[in-house]
């Protein structure tokens, strides 16, 4: 006999449902701890065939911890499972666990590739730096906006120039200085921390062969290369390089019903940060890069036909395909394609 387990994971408690031969044999809750869940499964379902749970904040930890306990853990796409779980008349954690167990039994799910802890550590570094950069930008904009109220316009500039201009303008306004200087100190501290994380990221990229390979592309720096490598993790995860563009949400949606058939905007699925970095790299290739390449020439021709934004998206998609092919073949970027023989 084989049992199928569905786990509806939350931060504190996890709802568990166990099915066998098309029937639910047990349902309950336990603490959201993989060790406790593994003990419960071994007791209630000694012949577990699949242990299914959805993607979420704890999915990486749960997957690796349950696998280390010897359980057949499977992480499935939450968006794919939602369509089936919405069929229940009432939305409860117990019903969601029942639905996941049913999906596990019939095999109607889309398994998600769970990244390793080392890979997630690098992605955390990228995410932490990105968040600090956002906070720094928000603080500088807040300072500029508040000072405009008093007729103090901070000139354009970043880094030390911004700090110097703010201090100069506040010199004759002691009352305003008492309010703005703490904000400026918070901006300075956050900026220094983001710079430090940026240095760590660059140093790590210099030691990674895959990152060095991708950085041979004009417009692709250490951050973009690292984010892409950690998102792909292993080039063999994709059978075709063309699939990477769709996986990152850079291909258009299609809607067809009867006589209606049209392509819409890009799907914007997948890793949002990697997609934005590829778009920035495409923008650099089309505007600021001085290195000629077939990719840049193709993008500029496309820009004249469909406009800059659409051309940048197309270049970003093609850039993702090229970067995956480079990792797969372990070859540097070729600015000019080799002629067919």
């Amino acid at each position: 006999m084989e049992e199928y387990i569905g786990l509806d994971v939350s931060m504190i408690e996890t709802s568990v449902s166990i099915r066998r031969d098309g029937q639910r044999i047990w349902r309950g809750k336990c603490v959201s701890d993989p060790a406790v869940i593994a003990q419960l499964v071994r007791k209630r379902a000694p012949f577990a065939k699949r242990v299914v749970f959805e993607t979420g904040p704890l999915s990486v930890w749960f997957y690796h911890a349950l696998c280390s306990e010897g359980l057949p853990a499977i992480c499935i796409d939450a968006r794919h499972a939602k369509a089936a779980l919405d069929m229940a008349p009432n939305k409860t954690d117990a019903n969601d666990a029942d639905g996941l167990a049913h999906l596990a039994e019939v095999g109607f799910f889309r398994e998600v590739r769970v990244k390793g802890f080392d890979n997630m550590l690098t992605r955390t570094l990228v995410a932490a730096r990105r968040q600090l950069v956002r906070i720094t930008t928000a603080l500088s904009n807040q300072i500029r906006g508040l000072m405009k109220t008093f007729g103090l316009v901070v000139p354009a500039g970043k880094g030390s120039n911004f700090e110097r201009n703010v201090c100069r303008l506040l010199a004759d306004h002691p009352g305003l200085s008492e309010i703005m200087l703490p904000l400026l100190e918070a901006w300075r501290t956050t900026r220094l921390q983001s710079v430090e994380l940026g240095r760590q990221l660059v140093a790590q990229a210099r030691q990674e062969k895959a990152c060095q390979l991708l950085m041979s592309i004009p417009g692709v720096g250490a951050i973009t290369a690292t984010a892409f490598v950690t998102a792909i993790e292993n080039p063999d995860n994709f059978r075709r390089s063309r699939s990477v563009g769709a996986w990152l949400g850079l291909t258009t949606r299609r809607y067809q019903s009867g006589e209606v058939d049209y392509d819409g905007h890009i799907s914007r699925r997948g890793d949002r940060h990697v997609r934005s970095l590829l778009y920035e790299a495409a923008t650099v290739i089309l505007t600021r890069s001085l290195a000629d390449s077939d990719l840049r020439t193709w993008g500029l021709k496309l820009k004249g036909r469909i406009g800059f934004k659409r051309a940048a998206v197309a270049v970003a998609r093609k850039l993702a395909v090229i970067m995956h092919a480079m990792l797969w073949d372990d070859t540097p970027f070729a600015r000019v394609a080799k002629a067919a023989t």
Side-chain angles (χ1 to χ4, degrees), residues 13 24 41 48 65-66 114-115 120 168 173 181 188 216 219 237 260 262 279 292 303 315 326 329-330:
E13 287 186 327
R24 186 182 70 209
V41 169
L66 291 176
V114 180
K115 294 179 173 60
M120 287 303 300
R168 177 177 56 81
H173 298 77
L181 288 181
R188 183 188 301 112
S216 64
N237 290 326
V260 180
Y262 64 87
Y279 183 83
D292 290 330
K303 173 185 172 183
V315 172
M326 291 170 59
D329 298 337
D330 195 21

Side-chain angles (χ1 to χ4, degrees), residues 80 148 156 244 268 272 300 336:
H80 186 258
K148 284 180 182 179
V244 180
R268 297 185 180 180
R272 180 178 180 181
L300 291 176
V336 180

Side-chain angles (χ1 to χ4, degrees), residues 84-219:
L85 298 181
D86 285 346
M87 296 297 292
N90 297 312
K91 174 69 171 71
T92 65
D93 293 341
N95 286 343
D96 285 348
D98 285 342
L100 291 172
H102 193 192
L103 292 178
E105 187 173 23
V106 300
F108 185 69
F109 57 81
R110 181 178 298 168
E111 185 174 357
V112 174
R113 172 175 51 86
V114 180
K115 294 179 173 60
F117 277 121
D118 292 339
N119 193 62
M120 287 303 300
L121 188 63
T122 304
R123 288 176 63 83
T124 302
L125 173 61
V126 175
R129 179 196 170 275
R130 179 179 76 249
Q131 187 63 28
L132 287 178
V133 170
R134 287 178 177 176
I135 295 174
T136 303
T137 303
L139 285 172
S140 63
N141 291 338
Q142 185 74 9
I143 292 171
R144 291 178 185 274
L146 293 174
M147 292 180 65
K148 284 180 182 179
T149 305
F150 301 92
L152 303 177
V153 179
V154 182
K158 298 181 180 180
S160 59
N161 290 331
F162 170 77
E163 182 178 1
R164 190 162 44 249
N165 289 329
V166 171
C167 293
R168 177 177 56 81
L169 292 173
L170 292 175
D172 298 330
H173 298 77
L176 185 60
S177 297
E178 294 178 0
I179 302 173
M180 302 307 300
L181 288 181
L183 275 177
L184 186 63
E185 180 61 28
W187 170 86
R188 183 188 301 112
T189 302
T190 308
R191 175 175 172 269
L192 291 176
Q193 294 299 326
S194 66
V195 170
E196 177 58 30
L197 290 184
R199 289 172 181 166
Q200 294 181 28
L201 201 153
V202 171
Q204 185 170 327
R206 289 175 177 172
Q207 297 176 356
E208 292 287 339
K209 181 181 178 181
C211 293
Q212 289 294 311
L213 195 68
L214 297 183
M215 288 167 62
S216 64
I217 305 174

Side-chain angles (χ1 to χ4, degrees), residues 30 74 98 119 157 170 185 198 203 234 243 257 316:
C30 67
I74 299 176
D98 285 342
N119 193 62
L170 292 175
E185 180 61 28
N234 186 349
S243 302
S257 178

